[in-house]
PDB file of all heavy atoms in Angstrom:
ATOM      1  N   MET A   5       0.863  -1.211   0.001  1.00  0.00           N
ATOM      2  CA  MET A   5      -0.002   0.002  -0.007  1.00  0.00           C
ATOM      3  C   MET A   5       0.884   1.242   0.004  1.00  0.00           C
ATOM      4  O   MET A   5       1.785   1.378   0.806  1.00  0.00           O
ATOM      5  CB  MET A   5      -0.894  -0.056   1.239  1.00  0.00           C
ATOM      6  CG  MET A   5      -1.492   1.256   1.670  1.00  0.00           C
ATOM      7  SD  MET A   5      -3.053   1.593   0.873  1.00  0.00           S
ATOM      8  CE  MET A   5      -4.114   0.397   1.595  1.00  0.00           C
ATOM      9  N   ASP A  24     -24.316   4.346  -6.085  1.00  0.00           N
ATOM     10  CA  ASP A  24     -25.528   3.804  -5.449  1.00  0.00           C
ATOM     11  C   ASP A  24     -25.237   2.528  -4.672  1.00  0.00           C
ATOM     12  O   ASP A  24     -26.098   2.026  -3.961  1.00  0.00           O
ATOM     13  CB  ASP A  24     -26.623   3.552  -6.498  1.00  0.00           C
ATOM     14  CG  ASP A  24     -26.215   2.518  -7.539  1.00  0.00           C
ATOM     15  OD1 ASP A  24     -25.007   2.420  -7.844  1.00  0.00           O
ATOM     16  OD2 ASP A  24     -27.083   1.811  -8.058  1.00  0.00           O
ATOM     17  N   ASP A  25     -24.026   1.991  -4.781  1.00  0.00           N
ATOM     18  CA  ASP A  25     -23.663   0.752  -4.082  1.00  0.00           C
ATOM     19  C   ASP A  25     -23.048   1.095  -2.724  1.00  0.00           C
ATOM     20  O   ASP A  25     -21.950   1.664  -2.664  1.00  0.00           O
ATOM     21  CB  ASP A  25     -22.676  -0.039  -4.958  1.00  0.00           C
ATOM     22  CG  ASP A  25     -22.326  -1.399  -4.382  1.00  0.00           C
ATOM     23  OD1 ASP A  25     -22.393  -1.592  -3.161  1.00  0.00           O
ATOM     24  OD2 ASP A  25     -21.980  -2.286  -5.185  1.00  0.00           O
ATOM     25  N   LYS A  26     -23.733   0.698  -1.647  1.00  0.00           N
ATOM     26  CA  LYS A  26     -23.232   1.095  -0.322  1.00  0.00           C
ATOM     27  C   LYS A  26     -21.928   0.416   0.036  1.00  0.00           C
ATOM     28  O   LYS A  26     -21.147   0.926   0.829  1.00  0.00           O
ATOM     29  CB  LYS A  26     -24.286   0.888   0.769  1.00  0.00           C
ATOM     30  CG  LYS A  26     -24.952  -0.449   0.845  1.00  0.00           C
ATOM     31  CD  LYS A  26     -25.857  -0.572   2.046  1.00  0.00           C
ATOM     32  CE  LYS A  26     -27.113   0.259   2.001  1.00  0.00           C
ATOM     33  NZ  LYS A  26     -28.119  -0.169   1.035  1.00  0.00           N
ATOM     34  N   ILE A  27     -21.669  -0.757  -0.569  1.00  0.00           N
ATOM     35  CA  ILE A  27     -20.402  -1.441  -0.290  1.00  0.00           C
ATOM     36  C   ILE A  27     -19.249  -0.660  -0.933  1.00  0.00           C
ATOM     37  O   ILE A  27     -18.209  -0.424  -0.310  1.00  0.00           O
ATOM     38  CB  ILE A  27     -20.443  -2.903  -0.802  1.00  0.00           C
ATOM     39  CG1 ILE A  27     -21.461  -3.693   0.018  1.00  0.00           C
ATOM     40  CG2 ILE A  27     -19.105  -3.591  -0.670  1.00  0.00           C
ATOM     41  CD1 ILE A  27     -22.575  -4.264  -0.745  1.00  0.00           C
ATOM     42  N   ILE A  28     -19.443  -0.226  -2.153  1.00  0.00           N
ATOM     43  CA  ILE A  28     -18.435   0.580  -2.829  1.00  0.00           C
ATOM     44  C   ILE A  28     -18.206   1.897  -2.072  1.00  0.00           C
ATOM     45  O   ILE A  28     -17.066   2.321  -1.875  1.00  0.00           O
ATOM     46  CB  ILE A  28     -18.845   0.862  -4.290  1.00  0.00           C
ATOM     47  CG1 ILE A  28     -18.739  -0.411  -5.127  1.00  0.00           C
ATOM     48  CG2 ILE A  28     -18.015   1.974  -4.908  1.00  0.00           C
ATOM     49  CD1 ILE A  28     -17.311  -0.863  -5.428  1.00  0.00           C
ATOM     50  N   ARG A  30     -18.528   2.503   1.058  1.00  0.00           N
ATOM     51  CA  ARG A  30     -17.789   2.192   2.300  1.00  0.00           C
ATOM     52  C   ARG A  30     -16.307   1.925   1.982  1.00  0.00           C
ATOM     53  O   ARG A  30     -15.422   2.463   2.636  1.00  0.00           O
ATOM     54  CB  ARG A  30     -18.435   0.975   2.994  1.00  0.00           C
ATOM     55  CG  ARG A  30     -17.736   0.534   4.253  1.00  0.00           C
ATOM     56  CD  ARG A  30     -18.042   1.452   5.429  1.00  0.00           C
ATOM     57  NE  ARG A  30     -17.303   1.021   6.624  1.00  0.00           N
ATOM     58  CZ  ARG A  30     -16.436   1.791   7.295  1.00  0.00           C
ATOM     59  NH1 ARG A  30     -16.207   3.025   6.902  1.00  0.00           N
ATOM     60  NH2 ARG A  30     -15.819   1.341   8.352  1.00  0.00           N
ATOM     61  N   ILE A  31     -16.076   1.089   0.975  1.00  0.00           N
ATOM     62  CA  ILE A  31     -14.688   0.727   0.632  1.00  0.00           C
ATOM     63  C   ILE A  31     -13.913   1.967   0.167  1.00  0.00           C
ATOM     64  O   ILE A  31     -12.794   2.224   0.625  1.00  0.00           O
ATOM     65  CB  ILE A  31     -14.659  -0.359  -0.472  1.00  0.00           C
ATOM     66  CG1 ILE A  31     -15.202  -1.678   0.062  1.00  0.00           C
ATOM     67  CG2 ILE A  31     -13.247  -0.558  -1.000  1.00  0.00           C
ATOM     68  CD1 ILE A  31     -15.415  -2.757  -1.015  1.00  0.00           C
ATOM     69  N   VAL A  34     -12.989   4.406   3.074  1.00  0.00           N
ATOM     70  CA  VAL A  34     -11.879   3.945   3.904  1.00  0.00           C
ATOM     71  C   VAL A  34     -10.569   4.056   3.125  1.00  0.00           C
ATOM     72  O   VAL A  34      -9.533   4.485   3.658  1.00  0.00           O
ATOM     73  CB  VAL A  34     -12.127   2.516   4.414  1.00  0.00           C
ATOM     74  CG1 VAL A  34     -10.905   1.908   5.060  1.00  0.00           C
ATOM     75  CG2 VAL A  34     -13.296   2.509   5.387  1.00  0.00           C
ATOM     76  N   LEU A  35     -10.609   3.697   1.854  1.00  0.00           N
ATOM     77  CA  LEU A  35      -9.424   3.772   0.992  1.00  0.00           C
ATOM     78  C   LEU A  35      -8.928   5.202   0.894  1.00  0.00           C
ATOM     79  O   LEU A  35      -7.740   5.486   1.069  1.00  0.00           O
ATOM     80  CB  LEU A  35      -9.771   3.203  -0.380  1.00  0.00           C
ATOM     81  CG  LEU A  35      -8.697   3.134  -1.460  1.00  0.00           C
ATOM     82  CD1 LEU A  35      -7.478   2.356  -0.978  1.00  0.00           C
ATOM     83  CD2 LEU A  35      -9.262   2.492  -2.717  1.00  0.00           C
ATOM     84  N   ASN A  37      -9.520   7.637   2.939  1.00  0.00           N
ATOM     85  CA  ASN A  37      -9.090   8.061   4.268  1.00  0.00           C
ATOM     86  C   ASN A  37      -7.637   7.695   4.517  1.00  0.00           C
ATOM     87  O   ASN A  37      -6.871   8.447   5.114  1.00  0.00           O
ATOM     88  CB  ASN A  37     -10.008   7.438   5.319  1.00  0.00           C
ATOM     89  CG  ASN A  37      -9.789   8.058   6.669  1.00  0.00           C
ATOM     90  OD1 ASN A  37      -9.796   9.268   6.807  1.00  0.00           O
ATOM     91  ND2 ASN A  37      -9.540   7.230   7.675  1.00  0.00           N
ATOM     92  N   LYS A  38      -7.263   6.511   4.018  1.00  0.00           N
ATOM     93  CA  LYS A  38      -5.885   6.035   4.158  1.00  0.00           C
ATOM     94  C   LYS A  38      -4.912   7.000   3.475  1.00  0.00           C
ATOM     95  O   LYS A  38      -3.758   7.083   3.833  1.00  0.00           O
ATOM     96  CB  LYS A  38      -5.717   4.671   3.481  1.00  0.00           C
ATOM     97  CG  LYS A  38      -6.253   3.531   4.241  1.00  0.00           C
ATOM     98  CD  LYS A  38      -5.145   2.807   4.997  1.00  0.00           C
ATOM     99  CE  LYS A  38      -5.709   1.604   5.722  1.00  0.00           C
ATOM    100  NZ  LYS A  38      -4.843   1.165   6.794  1.00  0.00           N
ATOM    101  N   GLU A  70     -23.646   3.917 -13.563  1.00  0.00           N
ATOM    102  CA  GLU A  70     -25.061   3.547 -13.527  1.00  0.00           C
ATOM    103  C   GLU A  70     -25.637   3.753 -12.150  1.00  0.00           C
ATOM    104  O   GLU A  70     -25.251   3.075 -11.194  1.00  0.00           O
ATOM    105  CB  GLU A  70     -25.223   2.095 -13.969  1.00  0.00           C
ATOM    106  CG  GLU A  70     -24.920   1.951 -15.466  1.00  0.00           C
ATOM    107  CD  GLU A  70     -24.781   0.524 -15.923  1.00  0.00           C
ATOM    108  OE1 GLU A  70     -25.657  -0.310 -15.617  1.00  0.00           O
ATOM    109  OE2 GLU A  70     -23.762   0.208 -16.594  1.00  0.00           O
ATOM    110  N   SER A  97     -17.834  -0.602 -13.665  1.00  0.00           N
ATOM    111  CA  SER A  97     -17.409  -1.997 -13.789  1.00  0.00           C
ATOM    112  C   SER A  97     -17.706  -2.502 -15.201  1.00  0.00           C
ATOM    113  O   SER A  97     -17.409  -3.629 -15.538  1.00  0.00           O
ATOM    114  CB  SER A  97     -18.090  -2.873 -12.742  1.00  0.00           C
ATOM    115  OG  SER A  97     -19.464  -2.593 -12.698  1.00  0.00           O
ATOM    116  N   ARG A  98     -18.289  -1.646 -16.020  1.00  0.00           N
ATOM    117  CA  ARG A  98     -18.515  -2.004 -17.438  1.00  0.00           C
ATOM    118  C   ARG A  98     -17.160  -1.940 -18.137  1.00  0.00           C
ATOM    119  O   ARG A  98     -16.498  -0.912 -18.059  1.00  0.00           O
ATOM    120  CB  ARG A  98     -19.496  -1.042 -18.118  1.00  0.00           C
ATOM    121  CG  ARG A  98     -20.902  -1.046 -17.546  1.00  0.00           C
ATOM    122  CD  ARG A  98     -21.733  -2.154 -18.133  1.00  0.00           C
ATOM    123  NE  ARG A  98     -23.119  -2.069 -17.672  1.00  0.00           N
ATOM    124  CZ  ARG A  98     -23.984  -3.063 -17.735  1.00  0.00           C
ATOM    125  NH1 ARG A  98     -23.621  -4.239 -18.210  1.00  0.00           N
ATOM    126  NH2 ARG A  98     -25.222  -2.899 -17.313  1.00  0.00           N
ATOM    127  N   PRO A 119     -13.837  -2.059  -8.292  1.00  0.00           N
ATOM    128  CA  PRO A 119     -13.496  -1.108  -7.230  1.00  0.00           C
ATOM    129  C   PRO A 119     -12.085  -0.547  -7.395  1.00  0.00           C
ATOM    130  O   PRO A 119     -11.212  -1.200  -7.961  1.00  0.00           O
ATOM    131  CB  PRO A 119     -13.613  -1.931  -5.947  1.00  0.00           C
ATOM    132  CG  PRO A 119     -13.461  -3.339  -6.375  1.00  0.00           C
ATOM    133  CD  PRO A 119     -13.932  -3.434  -7.810  1.00  0.00           C
ATOM    134  N   THR A 121      -8.339   0.606  -6.626  1.00  0.00           N
ATOM    135  CA  THR A 121      -7.237   0.013  -5.866  1.00  0.00           C
ATOM    136  C   THR A 121      -6.359   1.167  -5.351  1.00  0.00           C
ATOM    137  O   THR A 121      -6.487   2.301  -5.799  1.00  0.00           O
ATOM    138  CB  THR A 121      -6.387  -0.889  -6.747  1.00  0.00           C
ATOM    139  OG1 THR A 121      -5.823  -0.071  -7.794  1.00  0.00           O
ATOM    140  CG2 THR A 121      -7.214  -2.011  -7.373  1.00  0.00           C
ATOM    141  N   SER A 122      -5.469   0.831  -4.445  1.00  0.00           N
ATOM    142  CA  SER A 122      -4.581   1.878  -3.918  1.00  0.00           C
ATOM    143  C   SER A 122      -3.680   2.423  -5.021  1.00  0.00           C
ATOM    144  O   SER A 122      -3.323   3.590  -5.012  1.00  0.00           O
ATOM    145  CB  SER A 122      -3.767   1.352  -2.739  1.00  0.00           C
ATOM    146  OG  SER A 122      -3.228   0.108  -3.042  1.00  0.00           O
TER     147      SER A 122
ATOM    148  N   GLN B  62      -9.091  -8.733  -4.943  1.00  0.00           N
ATOM    149  CA  GLN B  62      -9.869  -7.671  -4.298  1.00  0.00           C
ATOM    150  C   GLN B  62     -10.008  -7.935  -2.780  1.00  0.00           C
ATOM    151  O   GLN B  62     -10.016  -6.991  -1.986  1.00  0.00           O
ATOM    152  CB  GLN B  62     -11.260  -7.549  -4.931  1.00  0.00           C
ATOM    153  CG  GLN B  62     -12.198  -6.543  -4.287  1.00  0.00           C
ATOM    154  CD  GLN B  62     -11.649  -5.128  -4.231  1.00  0.00           C
ATOM    155  OE1 GLN B  62     -10.767  -4.740  -4.986  1.00  0.00           O
ATOM    156  NE2 GLN B  62     -12.178  -4.337  -3.320  1.00  0.00           N
ATOM    157  N   GLN B  65      -7.041  -6.557  -1.191  1.00  0.00           N
ATOM    158  CA  GLN B  65      -7.157  -5.089  -1.128  1.00  0.00           C
ATOM    159  C   GLN B  65      -7.963  -4.678   0.109  1.00  0.00           C
ATOM    160  O   GLN B  65      -7.616  -3.718   0.803  1.00  0.00           O
ATOM    161  CB  GLN B  65      -7.865  -4.552  -2.373  1.00  0.00           C
ATOM    162  CG  GLN B  65      -7.088  -4.668  -3.663  1.00  0.00           C
ATOM    163  CD  GLN B  65      -6.037  -3.577  -3.847  1.00  0.00           C
ATOM    164  OE1 GLN B  65      -6.153  -2.483  -3.274  1.00  0.00           O
ATOM    165  NE2 GLN B  65      -5.008  -3.866  -4.603  1.00  0.00           N
ATOM    166  N   LEU B  66      -9.031  -5.430   0.394  1.00  0.00           N
ATOM    167  CA  LEU B  66      -9.840  -5.131   1.581  1.00  0.00           C
ATOM    168  C   LEU B  66      -9.036  -5.355   2.854  1.00  0.00           C
ATOM    169  O   LEU B  66      -9.115  -4.576   3.794  1.00  0.00           O
ATOM    170  CB  LEU B  66     -11.104  -5.996   1.615  1.00  0.00           C
ATOM    171  CG  LEU B  66     -12.143  -5.799   0.527  1.00  0.00           C
ATOM    172  CD1 LEU B  66     -13.351  -6.693   0.770  1.00  0.00           C
ATOM    173  CD2 LEU B  66     -12.584  -4.350   0.408  1.00  0.00           C
ATOM    174  N   GLU B  68      -5.917  -5.062   3.238  1.00  0.00           N
ATOM    175  CA  GLU B  68      -4.916  -3.999   3.388  1.00  0.00           C
ATOM    176  C   GLU B  68      -5.510  -2.730   3.969  1.00  0.00           C
ATOM    177  O   GLU B  68      -4.807  -1.868   4.460  1.00  0.00           O
ATOM    178  CB  GLU B  68      -4.243  -3.724   2.050  1.00  0.00           C
ATOM    179  CG  GLU B  68      -3.300  -4.830   1.626  1.00  0.00           C
ATOM    180  CD  GLU B  68      -2.578  -4.567   0.322  1.00  0.00           C
ATOM    181  OE1 GLU B  68      -2.892  -3.553  -0.344  1.00  0.00           O
ATOM    182  OE2 GLU B  68      -1.703  -5.370  -0.021  1.00  0.00           O
ATOM    183  N   LEU B  69      -6.849  -2.616   3.887  1.00  0.00           N
ATOM    184  CA  LEU B  69      -7.507  -1.431   4.446  1.00  0.00           C
ATOM    185  C   LEU B  69      -7.815  -1.618   5.936  1.00  0.00           C
ATOM    186  O   LEU B  69      -8.217  -0.674   6.615  1.00  0.00           O
ATOM    187  CB  LEU B  69      -8.808  -1.148   3.693  1.00  0.00           C
ATOM    188  CG  LEU B  69      -8.634  -0.692   2.241  1.00  0.00           C
ATOM    189  CD1 LEU B  69      -9.992  -0.532   1.569  1.00  0.00           C
ATOM    190  CD2 LEU B  69      -7.858   0.601   2.163  1.00  0.00           C
ATOM    191  N   ASP B  71      -7.131  -1.844   9.743  1.00  0.00           N
ATOM    192  CA  ASP B  71      -6.090  -1.328  10.654  1.00  0.00           C
ATOM    193  C   ASP B  71      -6.739  -1.047  12.003  1.00  0.00           C
ATOM    194  O   ASP B  71      -7.879  -1.459  12.248  1.00  0.00           O
ATOM    195  CB  ASP B  71      -5.442  -0.073  10.060  1.00  0.00           C
ATOM    196  CG  ASP B  71      -6.446   1.043   9.782  1.00  0.00           C
ATOM    197  OD1 ASP B  71      -7.584   1.005  10.276  1.00  0.00           O
ATOM    198  OD2 ASP B  71      -6.094   1.975   9.022  1.00  0.00           O
ATOM    199  N   GLU B  73      -7.912   1.652  13.152  1.00  0.00           N
ATOM    200  CA  GLU B  73      -9.109   2.489  13.001  1.00  0.00           C
ATOM    201  C   GLU B  73     -10.304   1.651  12.515  1.00  0.00           C
ATOM    202  O   GLU B  73     -11.452   1.919  12.838  1.00  0.00           O
ATOM    203  CB  GLU B  73      -8.823   3.586  11.968  1.00  0.00           C
ATOM    204  CG  GLU B  73      -9.292   4.968  12.394  1.00  0.00           C
ATOM    205  CD  GLU B  73      -8.914   6.019  11.372  1.00  0.00           C
ATOM    206  OE1 GLU B  73      -7.698   6.268  11.244  1.00  0.00           O
ATOM    207  OE2 GLU B  73      -9.827   6.551  10.723  1.00  0.00           O
ATOM    208  N   ASN B  74     -10.056   0.661  11.691  1.00  0.00           N
ATOM    209  CA  ASN B  74     -11.078  -0.245  11.130  1.00  0.00           C
ATOM    210  C   ASN B  74     -10.649  -1.689  11.335  1.00  0.00           C
ATOM    211  O   ASN B  74     -10.299  -2.386  10.391  1.00  0.00           O
ATOM    212  CB  ASN B  74     -11.286   0.028   9.635  1.00  0.00           C
ATOM    213  CG  ASN B  74     -11.753   1.440   9.341  1.00  0.00           C
ATOM    214  OD1 ASN B  74     -12.909   1.790   9.573  1.00  0.00           O
ATOM    215  ND2 ASN B  74     -10.849   2.254   8.821  1.00  0.00           N
ATOM    216  N   PHE B  77     -12.666  -4.485   9.397  1.00  0.00           N
ATOM    217  CA  PHE B  77     -13.166  -3.924   8.146  1.00  0.00           C
ATOM    218  C   PHE B  77     -13.636  -4.995   7.160  1.00  0.00           C
ATOM    219  O   PHE B  77     -14.704  -4.886   6.570  1.00  0.00           O
ATOM    220  CB  PHE B  77     -12.084  -3.047   7.500  1.00  0.00           C
ATOM    221  CG  PHE B  77     -12.525  -2.407   6.210  1.00  0.00           C
ATOM    222  CD1 PHE B  77     -13.538  -1.455   6.197  1.00  0.00           C
ATOM    223  CD2 PHE B  77     -11.962  -2.777   5.007  1.00  0.00           C
ATOM    224  CE1 PHE B  77     -13.952  -0.874   5.009  1.00  0.00           C
ATOM    225  CE2 PHE B  77     -12.365  -2.205   3.821  1.00  0.00           C
ATOM    226  CZ  PHE B  77     -13.353  -1.241   3.817  1.00  0.00           C
ATOM    227  N   GLU B  80     -16.773  -6.604   8.239  1.00  0.00           N
ATOM    228  CA  GLU B  80     -17.837  -5.585   8.149  1.00  0.00           C
ATOM    229  C   GLU B  80     -18.336  -5.457   6.707  1.00  0.00           C
ATOM    230  O   GLU B  80     -19.549  -5.444   6.463  1.00  0.00           O
ATOM    231  CB  GLU B  80     -17.281  -4.254   8.658  1.00  0.00           C
ATOM    232  CG  GLU B  80     -18.267  -3.098   8.638  1.00  0.00           C
ATOM    233  CD  GLU B  80     -17.579  -1.750   8.432  1.00  0.00           C
ATOM    234  OE1 GLU B  80     -16.512  -1.527   9.046  1.00  0.00           O
ATOM    235  OE2 GLU B  80     -18.119  -0.926   7.684  1.00  0.00           O
ATOM    236  N   TYR B  85     -22.262  -6.670   2.513  1.00  0.00           N
ATOM    237  CA  TYR B  85     -22.571  -7.249   1.195  1.00  0.00           C
ATOM    238  C   TYR B  85     -23.685  -8.282   1.319  1.00  0.00           C
ATOM    239  O   TYR B  85     -24.649  -8.245   0.559  1.00  0.00           O
ATOM    240  CB  TYR B  85     -21.308  -7.915   0.621  1.00  0.00           C
ATOM    241  CG  TYR B  85     -21.609  -8.873  -0.512  1.00  0.00           C
ATOM    242  CD1 TYR B  85     -21.941  -8.413  -1.773  1.00  0.00           C
ATOM    243  CD2 TYR B  85     -21.583 -10.243  -0.299  1.00  0.00           C
ATOM    244  CE1 TYR B  85     -22.241  -9.290  -2.805  1.00  0.00           C
ATOM    245  CE2 TYR B  85     -21.876 -11.134  -1.328  1.00  0.00           C
ATOM    246  CZ  TYR B  85     -22.209 -10.648  -2.573  1.00  0.00           C
ATOM    247  OH  TYR B  85     -22.506 -11.529  -3.582  1.00  0.00           O
ATOM    248  N   ASP B  88     -26.983  -6.529   2.096  1.00  0.00           N
ATOM    249  CA  ASP B  88     -27.526  -5.699   1.005  1.00  0.00           C
ATOM    250  C   ASP B  88     -27.920  -6.527  -0.217  1.00  0.00           C
ATOM    251  O   ASP B  88     -28.853  -6.177  -0.957  1.00  0.00           O
ATOM    252  CB  ASP B  88     -26.487  -4.647   0.602  1.00  0.00           C
ATOM    253  CG  ASP B  88     -27.082  -3.582  -0.311  1.00  0.00           C
ATOM    254  OD1 ASP B  88     -28.120  -2.997   0.066  1.00  0.00           O
ATOM    255  OD2 ASP B  88     -26.522  -3.353  -1.403  1.00  0.00           O
ATOM    256  N   ASP B 111     -30.694  -7.312 -16.827  1.00  0.00           N
ATOM    257  CA  ASP B 111     -29.259  -7.032 -16.971  1.00  0.00           C
ATOM    258  C   ASP B 111     -28.823  -5.974 -15.951  1.00  0.00           C
ATOM    259  O   ASP B 111     -27.757  -6.079 -15.329  1.00  0.00           O
ATOM    260  CB  ASP B 111     -28.969  -6.534 -18.387  1.00  0.00           C
ATOM    261  CG  ASP B 111     -27.490  -6.240 -18.585  1.00  0.00           C
ATOM    262  OD1 ASP B 111     -26.685  -7.188 -18.551  1.00  0.00           O
ATOM    263  OD2 ASP B 111     -27.121  -5.049 -18.774  1.00  0.00           O
ATOM    264  N   HIS B 115     -26.170  -6.544 -13.098  1.00  0.00           N
ATOM    265  CA  HIS B 115     -24.979  -5.668 -13.103  1.00  0.00           C
ATOM    266  C   HIS B 115     -24.703  -5.138 -11.682  1.00  0.00           C
ATOM    267  O   HIS B 115     -23.562  -5.127 -11.218  1.00  0.00           O
ATOM    268  CB  HIS B 115     -25.198  -4.501 -14.062  1.00  0.00           C
ATOM    269  CG  HIS B 115     -24.051  -3.539 -14.084  1.00  0.00           C
ATOM    270  ND1 HIS B 115     -22.801  -3.858 -14.581  1.00  0.00           N
ATOM    271  CD2 HIS B 115     -23.953  -2.266 -13.630  1.00  0.00           C
ATOM    272  CE1 HIS B 115     -21.996  -2.829 -14.463  1.00  0.00           C
ATOM    273  NE2 HIS B 115     -22.655  -1.838 -13.879  1.00  0.00           N
ATOM    274  N   GLN B 116     -25.773  -4.756 -10.984  1.00  0.00           N
ATOM    275  CA  GLN B 116     -25.621  -4.277  -9.617  1.00  0.00           C
ATOM    276  C   GLN B 116     -25.097  -5.379  -8.707  1.00  0.00           C
ATOM    277  O   GLN B 116     -24.191  -5.168  -7.904  1.00  0.00           O
ATOM    278  CB  GLN B 116     -26.984  -3.826  -9.077  1.00  0.00           C
ATOM    279  CG  GLN B 116     -27.441  -2.466  -9.558  1.00  0.00           C
ATOM    280  CD  GLN B 116     -28.657  -2.008  -8.789  1.00  0.00           C
ATOM    281  OE1 GLN B 116     -29.756  -2.569  -8.942  1.00  0.00           O
ATOM    282  NE2 GLN B 116     -28.489  -1.037  -7.952  1.00  0.00           N
ATOM    283  N   SER B 120     -21.359  -5.556  -6.773  1.00  0.00           N
ATOM    284  CA  SER B 120     -21.198  -5.754  -5.330  1.00  0.00           C
ATOM    285  C   SER B 120     -20.351  -6.976  -5.030  1.00  0.00           C
ATOM    286  O   SER B 120     -19.493  -6.954  -4.154  1.00  0.00           O
ATOM    287  CB  SER B 120     -22.555  -5.933  -4.664  1.00  0.00           C
ATOM    288  OG  SER B 120     -23.124  -4.696  -4.373  1.00  0.00           O
ATOM    289  N   SER B 123     -16.761  -6.451  -5.495  1.00  0.00           N
ATOM    290  CA  SER B 123     -16.129  -5.563  -4.519  1.00  0.00           C
ATOM    291  C   SER B 123     -15.664  -6.323  -3.270  1.00  0.00           C
ATOM    292  O   SER B 123     -14.887  -5.798  -2.490  1.00  0.00           O
ATOM    293  CB  SER B 123     -17.046  -4.405  -4.156  1.00  0.00           C
ATOM    294  OG  SER B 123     -18.171  -4.877  -3.483  1.00  0.00           O
TER     295      SER B 123
END
Side-chain angles (χ1 to χ4, degrees):
Chain A
M5 160 88 69
D24 62 329
D25 185 333
K26 51 174 70 70
I27 293 120
I28 289 288
R30 178 77 182 122
I31 292 171
V34 169
L35 181 56
N37 191 50
K38 284 261 182 199
E70 290 168 50
S97 47
R98 296 277 185 198
T121 61
S122 46
Chain B
Q62 176 58 21
Q65 291 280 335
L66 295 183
E68 288 182 354
L69 292 176
D71 58 16
E73 225 177 292
N74 299 286
F77 181 67
E80 180 209 319
Y85 164 75
D88 192 53
D111 180 66
H115 178 68
Q116 282 190 290
S120 275
S123 66

